[in-house]
Amino acid sequence: MGFNLTVNGDRLSSAAEPATPLVDVLREEMHLTGAKPVCREGFCGACMVLVDGEPTPSCLLPAALADGREIQTVEGLAPLGQLNRIQAALEVSDAVQCGMCFPGMVVSLTHLLTTRPDATSDDIRAALTGNICRCTGYERIVEATLLALATA
Amino acid sequence: MMSGTPIQNIPVAARVTPASIYVAPSLAAARDALSEYGAAGAPLAGGTWIMRSPIRHEPLKTHYVAIGRIAELSAIRISGNAVEIGAAVTHAALAAALADLPEFAGLVAAAGRSANPAIRAMATIGGNLSTSDFAAADCVPALLCLDADVEIADRNGRERISLAHFLEVRSKLAAGRIVTRIIVPRAECRTAHIRLPLRRSGDYPVAIVSLSVSVDAANRVRVARIAVGSVEPSARRWPPLEDALLGRPLDAAEAARIAAELTGEFIGRDSVDAPAWYRVSVLPGLVRRAVIAARGS
Ligand SMILES: Cc1cc2nc3c(=O)[nH]c(=O)nc-3n(C[C@H](O)[C@@H](O)[C@H](O)COP(=O)(O)OP(=O)(O)OC[C@H]3O[C@@H](n4cnc5c(N)ncnc54)[C@H](O)[C@@H]3O)c2cc1C
Ligand code: FES
Ligand code: FES
């Protein structure tokens, strides 16, 4: 049985098995490889996408429950090649190291910027509890987010 | 949990066993589907436990009934004498709904600080109570010390049992049965929920102490309910400590001292993230922190 979903504004259909994790549908059928299946457990956040606007680890969402929903992946957050506010701030702050965690970071932080314009550094850290970075120590990511919030 | 679980990227074909997922539009439809599927079916709520079955090397069921879109199961009703929580209410929704009710500070901490924000927006309270293999479930001890009841339904009707009883029978629930509501009586009490994760947040807790206490005018303990989670395979109350605190002033250091004398009754569970003895040894410290938090609540 197939299902339909909207990905970055495009209406798409998939014939994946119902319990297939959304991350595999995105990567293997739709060739959107920004979301990364790293832990497949909901701990690391590398597979984070927006589902109906909410940050969701796509490794834990079965394809059947993505039916009819609006998905935004990191590829959809910089339309026309223009970096969004958090992407630009991360670049200016030289926050990226290996880059493995960043698609997920950008998704979570894009959501934070739109929903919590008054976020403090503690709020930013709390929002990133489910985004693990093994390289940076987080400090520059938090600084970049504060910079993005200040340049709203 | 993160530490100790090797990163796995199993090929898709091996991961996805064919499973049907029926998105139930109503409770009646869910009950009918579950009873038809029998032992081959199960509810799928937030999916945060079920979707990790391949990592635990557990097979998926053949059929799932998705219950997250059933309005009746997603409602929270707050009245003067009880709070009724639909089984498909998420941790995030529960923490937000009870945030202004001080007597539920412990449950709000349990629902609002477990896992991480994206998981809290998916994982449900019914899933948390129903997962019998999950020792570190936060809402179980928090609800045990609030004397919660669980309502279970099947095609033939509904039944209400205590949470403590539910924990004993949950792994043997007859096929087709589903948790529909959790009913929590309201009482004048102070509550707290203290969890010890290995990192400051995001991890499973090594041990949990939940506390509900009421005191008389002279600050002496009238009622105490204390539950311990994550130390043994299932959370449970700590009656000897509850009894020992009755009639005494509510004092954190004293409670911790008594707790240290009574930890012998717990047999900790060993796992890669923490040895059994460690889980037990941190309990007095968590009791101390729980009393401090309850006094401040
Ligand atoms: C990274 C991560 C970290 C986490 N950390 C914590 C933590 O620290 N503390 C914590 O408490 N939780 C934590 N969780 C959540 C954990 O997965 C479960 O506790 C979760 O609450 C299960 O809820 P669910 O709705 O996702 O259940 P599901 O995965 O949908 O189901 C789990 C089980 O419950 C059954 N079930 C579900 N709903 C019902 C119902 N209404 N009636 C009968 N049976 C039902 C299912 O059939 C299945 O057997 C974490 C999850 C992740 C992914
Ligand atoms: S791969 Fe989904 S959270 Fe890690
Ligand atoms: S930059 Fe390498 S994991 Fe974050």
Side-chain angles (χ1 to χ4, degrees):
Chain A
M1 221 185 70
F3 63 96
N4 303 303
L5 67 174
T6 305
V7 182
N8 301 330
D10 295 330
R11 294 178 68 90
L12 301 169
S13 60
S14 163
E17 290 288 346
T20 311
L22 175 65
V23 66
D24 294 324
V25 178
L26 293 171
R27 291 175 60 88
E28 288 163 34
E29 280 191 46
M30 296 163 185
H31 307 295
L32 294 167
T33 54
K36 314 251 180 282
V38 176
C39 69
R40 291 192 180 276
E41 281 219 74
F43 275 110
C44 77
C47 66
M48 201 72 80
V49 298
L50 298 177
V51 177
D52 295 336
E54 293 300 320
T56 305
S58 56
C59 62
L60 296 183
L61 189 71
L65 295 190
D67 188 32
R69 304 179 80 176
E70 195 146 323
I71 316 294
Q72 260 184 304
T73 68
V74 70
E75 289 90 344
L77 298 180
L80 310 173
Q82 283 271 313
L83 297 186
N84 74 11
R85 233 176 346 133
I86 188 64
Q87 288 170 319
L90 289 166
E91 190 182 28
V92 169
S93 308
D94 199 11
V96 186
Q97 292 193 22
C98 84
M100 172 69 111
C101 66
F102 270 87
M105 289 280 175
V106 166
V107 170
S108 295
L109 291 172
T110 299
H111 178 260
L112 180 85
L113 254 55
T114 49
T115 53
R116 296 290 311 275
D118 57 344
T120 62
S121 51
D122 279 350
D123 297 331
I124 297 166
R125 281 175 219 280
L128 292 181
T129 318
N131 290 88
I132 291 180
C133 177
R134 288 294 187 219
C135 303
T136 67
Y138 303 96
E139 291 304 323
R140 286 194 187 182
I141 299 174
V142 175
E143 280 165 27
T145 311
L146 289 170
L147 174 69
L149 286 163
T151 52
Chain B
M1 63 185 296
M2 195 77 190
S3 51
T5 305
I7 289 172
Q8 306 201 4
N9 268 315
I10 312 156
V12 179
R15 237 174 13 238
V16 183
T17 46
S20 81
I21 300 181
Y22 165 60
V23 182
S26 67
L27 181 55
R31 283 189 310 214
D32 283 350
L34 284 167
S35 83
E36 227 145 85
Y37 294 146
L44 187 151
T48 65
W49 186 263
I50 290 171
M51 288 297 284
R52 294 186 285 159
S53 305
I55 300 239
R56 296 190 302 270
H57 305 286
E58 290 168 11
L60 289 172
K61 293 266 184 192
T62 312
H63 301 289
Y64 285 102
V65 177
I67 59 170
R69 295 187 199 166
I70 300 173
E72 178 183 345
L73 298 188
S74 306
I76 301 173
R77 281 190 207 91
I78 301 172
S79 69
N81 50 16
V83 170
E84 297 177 16
I85 309 161
V89 167
T90 64
H91 285 62
L94 180 62
L98 301 185
D100 294 333
L101 301 178
E103 83 241 45
F104 292 115
L107 183 57
V108 168
R113 302 223 193 101
S114 66
N116 61 56
I119 299 300
R120 293 197 291 269
M122 296 175 91
T124 67
I125 187 82
N128 201 247
L129 303 192
S130 300
T131 311
S132 42
D133 289 341
F134 183 37
D138 273 278
C139 289
V140 177
L143 285 164
L144 271 176
C145 62
L146 291 172
D147 249 357
D149 280 349
V150 175
E151 184 188 77
I152 306 167
D154 62 18
R155 217 178 211 169
N156 304 316
R158 299 180 188 230
E159 180 193 4
R160 182 169 159 174
I161 60 175
S162 71
L163 172 58
H165 183 206
F166 174 74
L167 297 178
E168 284 165 20
V169 300
R170 62 183 171 173
S171 62
K172 302 181 283 282
L173 269 195
R177 307 198 80 191
I178 180 175
V179 174
T180 45
R181 281 189 304 166
I182 293 91
I183 302 116
V184 191
R186 294 189 67 176
E188 250 184 56
C189 58
R190 295 166 180 214
T191 64
H193 180 83
I194 303 294
R195 60 203 303 274
L196 179 71
L198 290 178
R199 295 188 305 145
R200 199 168 145 207
S201 52
D203 271 352
Y204 291 155
V206 165
I208 303 169
V209 169
S210 294
L211 168 75
S212 161
V213 66
S214 66
V215 291
D216 62 18
N219 191 40
R220 273 188 292 267
V221 176
R222 270 195 313 120
V223 182
R225 291 192 213 100
I226 300 164
V228 170
S230 201
V231 171
E232 296 182 337
S234 181
R236 67 175 169 98
R237 295 261 297 266
W238 193 349
L241 179 57
E242 295 171 356
D243 293 345
L245 294 185
L246 287 183
R248 292 176 189 259
L250 182 61
D251 178 80
E254 181 69 352
R257 188 191 61 73
I258 299 169
E261 288 170 3
L262 298 173
T263 52
E265 74 164 83
F266 289 97
I267 302 168
R269 63 189 173 95
D270 254 323
S271 70
V272 282
D273 46 311
W277 66 265
Y278 181 69
R279 294 182 197 278
V280 176
S281 72
V282 298
L283 287 175
L286 297 186
V287 167
R288 185 179 57 79
R289 286 172 54 193
V291 171
I292 292 170
R295 287 183 58 135
S297 76

